Amino acid sequence: MAIEKLSEVKCFGGWQQRFQHQSDCLSCTMTFSVYLPPQAEQQMVPVIYWLSGLTCTDENFSTKSGAQRYAAEHGVALVMPDTSPRGDNVPDDPDGAFDFGLGAGFYVNATQSPWKAQYQMFDYVHRELPQVVESQLPVSGRKAISGHSMGGHGALVIGLTHPQDYKAISAFAPVCNPTQCPWGKKAFSNYLGDDRATWKAYDASERLDAFEGDMPILVDQGTADNFLKEQLGTPALEAANQRGLAEIRYQEGYDHSYYFIASFIGEHITFLAKALKG
Amino acid sequence: MAIEKLSEVKCFGGWQQRFQHQSDCLSCTMTFSVYLPPQAEQQMVPVIYWLSGLTCTDENFSTKSGAQRYAAEHGVALVMPDTSPRGDNVPDDPDGAFDFGLGAGFYVNATQSPWKAQYQMFDYVHRELPQVVESQLPVSGRKAISGHSMGGHGALVIGLTHPQDYKAISAFAPVCNPTQCPWGKKAFSNYLGDDRATWKAYDASERLDAFEGDMPILVDQGTADNFLKEQLGTPALEAANQRGLAEIRYQEGYDHSYYFIASFIGEHITFLAKALKG
């Protein structure tokens, strides 16, 4: 479980770091970013896992969100994985499309060839990466999970599937109902095959509808988001939220970009940190 | 003086915008970014001009600094120009080097061919761009100026040359003494020619040494900055600061990156906004 530190720069009194390691469950070399707040020099700190959206790597959130300021204030670490297995030997969309294959793992465990050999992002994020992080870095086992778009879908699905492992979930403009939208149908039919019964386990609205436990959940959705109508399916998540477990907010005039994330990441980190420390 | 709005997204309650216009003094089409804080919907707001460093465009600061949060808090606009004239007809370094030509205008008015026809970035930033901005956007004539690296040099030189036009200056890791460092010698010998007497007007340390007025100035320099020894010449600025006008701070362990800028941009905007509102 060796990891190699690729870079480290000081940021808000803590350290922004990049690591590389050989992933067993993805059978490739993976890069991930970490932000360790200043408090990590004195004690083990809890962790927020951040899952990015289509086309992203581990670096989009670290460079554009401004999240480090709030992580430093609250004494929480950030761990930012890549969005798919990577490397010349990893199969990709035959047309190189942005919404499937490399950069678009959709946080599922693929069951279909040729994807199943490496596209096991659910297990990577839920199991392998925390093992790596917790064994090598000054972080505790207390975890929350958040993400954007495809990564918001990932955060909701992983968190609601394993509620015992996460103290809270948040999402920005998540793909709420992938079994019903073009991005999700394309990805799930390839990764999971034609039996749509198997898709439901990876649909946040289905998960929330069936969920009987307790979990702090915060979702922000911009009203000027170009993907809102066709891809995101926020109304399905609202319909599944009968118990009112999730706070689903519409933010007037905000789009799908990192300017939206930057505007509200402070509130999300405050929300997640409260649960992590509770 | 028409400008075309290329894009606009909501950010921290205000608007992150990009504009294009035909620049008279650079004889090319220029793109610049603007952040208008929410207060600009009710009143004219003061402006901080941000000058970026080598290789940057108008977008590096807007995507990576996290400055909008603080601009919104203080009710100041941000204006972010490009770092050189642009376009297929603009002469560039013959080897395409990153430290001269496109992306490296060094905020001087070139006097040598072929550069002098378009490399007039000092006049563009000091005169033309404020005219454009003030005639088209809800901003007042109250200005401060800040920047990073080559842009920190630009902010100090422009601000100290025209102190009546700026309420305050700040800089991150500025090129403090370009007449004495490799980047500056290369740029100045090309843009300004071999008569080094003409270079002094564009050297922040020379400017500060000769400056007799009053001006709030804040400079931050990371101690882990790879360019500190060879290029930045911070000791020359300290030596020129006999009257203690500038607060020159060394930030332990920080490098030259936007993670450094993000960590301290809040303090700089607070500092500049205080002078703008004073």
Side-chain angles (χ1 to χ4, degrees):
Chain A
M1 207 170 278
I3 62 175
E4 180 193 354
K5 190 186 288 179
L6 301 177
S7 66
E8 173 174 71
V9 304
K10 202 167 180 183
C11 185
F12 285 101
W15 295 96
Q16 182 67 42
Q17 304 171 322
R18 271 191 110 192
F19 295 97
Q20 206 168 64
H21 75 121
Q22 183 61 28
S23 165
D24 289 337
C25 81
L26 306 179
S27 300
C28 66
T29 301
M30 290 294 284
T31 302
F32 63 92
S33 287
V34 172
Y35 176 68
L36 289 180
Q39 295 86 341
E41 299 198 1
Q42 307 294 331
Q43 67 201 54
M44 308 284 263
V45 294
V47 184
I48 296 169
Y49 284 80
W50 171 268
L51 306 184
S52 280
L54 290 169
T55 78
C56 289
T57 69
D58 62 299
E59 292 199 297
N60 300 66
F61 185 74
S62 68
T63 55
K64 295 183 178 179
S65 71
Q68 293 90 350
R69 170 181 172 161
Y70 311 101
E73 277 177 14
H74 291 287
V76 298
L78 307 171
V79 173
M80 296 148 270
D82 205 340
T83 54
S84 74
R86 295 282 182 179
D88 293 341
N89 298 325
V90 177
D92 191 10
D93 183 285
D95 302 319
F98 77 97
D99 58 1
F100 178 69
L102 294 178
F106 270 88
Y107 305 103
V108 303
N109 292 329
T111 57
Q112 306 298 303
S113 293
W115 317 105
K116 65 181 179 184
Q118 295 183 279
Y119 282 80
Q120 300 290 320
M121 287 298 291
F122 186 106
D123 275 359
Y124 178 71
V125 168
H126 170 250
R127 187 178 48 75
E128 186 179 20
L129 185 59
Q131 286 171 0
V132 168
V133 165
E134 290 166 23
S135 70
Q136 305 283 330
L137 297 171
V139 302
S140 73
R142 291 181 76 85
K143 299 192 289 285
I145 191 162
S146 181
H148 173 231
S149 196
M150 176 183 75
H153 139 77
L156 288 163
V157 167
I158 293 172
L160 290 170
T161 307
H162 294 289
Q164 71 285 5
D165 292 331
Y166 300 92
K167 303 298 179 192
I169 306 171
S170 93
F172 292 81
V175 182
C176 295
N177 198 196
T179 57
Q180 305 299 326
C181 78
W183 284 343
K185 288 178 184 174
K186 177 178 177 182
F188 288 8
S189 61
N190 279 286
Y191 292 137
L192 305 173
D194 292 333
D195 179 4
R196 295 195 174 203
T198 66
W199 296 11
K200 288 190 176 183
Y202 296 111
D203 186 294
S205 297
E206 299 279 354
R207 278 285 173 201
L208 183 61
D209 188 59
F211 187 68
E212 295 181 339
D214 199 17
M215 175 69 76
I217 303 173
L218 175 62
V219 176
D220 269 322
Q221 174 59 55
T223 63
D225 186 325
N226 284 336
F227 300 111
L228 178 51
K229 266 198 168 164
E230 195 188 12
Q231 301 285 4
L232 303 181
T234 324
L237 193 69
E238 292 181 291
N241 191 33
Q242 308 105 332
R243 292 195 294 134
L245 201 60
E247 183 176 2
I248 302 172
R249 312 189 299 191
Y250 284 90
Q251 300 290 357
E252 184 66 30
Y254 286 87
D255 77 344
H256 200 69
S257 74
Y258 264 89
Y259 291 113
F260 164 54
I261 297 172
S263 300
F264 297 99
I265 191 67
E267 292 181 34
H268 282 237
I269 290 180
T270 298
F271 174 85
L272 298 170
K274 187 180 167 195
L276 284 166
K277 293 173 175 178
Chain B
M1 208 171 275
I3 63 175
E4 181 194 355
K5 192 186 285 179
L6 302 177
S7 66
E8 172 174 71
V9 305
K10 202 166 179 184
C11 184
F12 285 101
W15 296 96
Q16 182 68 39
Q17 304 171 322
R18 271 190 111 190
F19 296 97
Q20 205 167 64
H21 74 123
Q22 183 61 30
S23 165
D24 290 335
C25 83
L26 305 179
S27 300
C28 67
T29 301
M30 290 294 284
T31 303
F32 62 93
S33 287
V34 172
Y35 176 70
L36 288 180
Q39 295 86 341
E41 299 197 2
Q42 307 294 333
Q43 65 199 56
M44 309 282 265
V45 294
V47 185
I48 296 169
Y49 285 80
W50 172 268
L51 306 184
S52 280
L54 291 169
T55 77
C56 288
T57 70
D58 62 298
E59 293 200 296
N60 300 65
F61 185 73
S62 68
T63 55
K64 294 184 178 179
S65 70
Q68 293 90 348
R69 168 180 174 161
Y70 310 101
E73 278 177 13
H74 291 286
V76 298
L78 306 172
V79 173
M80 297 148 271
D82 205 341
T83 53
S84 74
R86 295 283 182 179
D88 292 342
N89 298 326
V90 176
D92 191 11
D93 183 287
D95 302 320
F98 76 96
D99 58 1
F100 178 69
L102 295 177
F106 269 89
Y107 305 102
V108 303
N109 292 329
T111 57
Q112 307 297 304
S113 293
W115 317 106
K116 65 182 179 185
Q118 296 183 279
Y119 282 81
Q120 302 289 320
M121 287 297 291
F122 186 105
D123 274 0
Y124 178 71
V125 169
H126 170 249
R127 186 178 49 76
E128 186 178 22
L129 185 59
Q131 286 172 359
V132 169
V133 166
E134 290 165 24
S135 70
Q136 305 282 331
L137 298 171
V139 303
S140 73
R142 293 182 74 85
K143 299 192 288 286
I145 191 162
S146 181
H148 173 231
S149 196
M150 175 183 76
H153 139 77
L156 287 163
V157 166
I158 293 172
L160 290 170
T161 306
H162 295 290
Q164 72 285 5
D165 292 333
Y166 300 93
K167 303 298 180 192
I169 306 170
S170 92
F172 291 82
V175 181
C176 296
N177 198 195
T179 57
Q180 305 299 325
C181 78
W183 283 342
K185 289 179 184 174
K186 177 179 179 181
F188 288 7
S189 61
N190 280 286
Y191 292 136
L192 306 174
D194 291 335
D195 179 3
R196 296 197 173 201
T198 67
W199 296 12
K200 288 191 176 183
Y202 296 110
D203 185 295
S205 298
E206 298 280 353
R207 278 284 174 202
L208 184 60
D209 189 58
F211 187 68
E212 294 182 341
D214 200 16
M215 176 69 76
I217 303 172
L218 176 61
V219 176
D220 269 322
Q221 174 59 55
T223 63
D225 185 326
N226 285 335
F227 300 112
L228 178 50
K229 266 199 169 164
E230 196 188 11
Q231 301 286 5
L232 303 181
T234 324
L237 193 70
E238 293 181 291
N241 191 33
Q242 307 106 333
R243 292 195 293 135
L245 201 60
E247 184 177 1
I248 303 171
R249 311 188 300 191
Y250 284 90
Q251 300 291 358
E252 185 66 30
Y254 285 87
D255 76 345
H256 200 71
S257 74
Y258 265 89
Y259 291 114
F260 164 54
I261 297 172
S263 300
F264 296 99
I265 191 67
E267 292 181 33
H268 282 237
I269 290 181
T270 299
F271 173 84
L272 298 170
K274 187 180 167 197
L276 284 166
K277 294 173 175 178

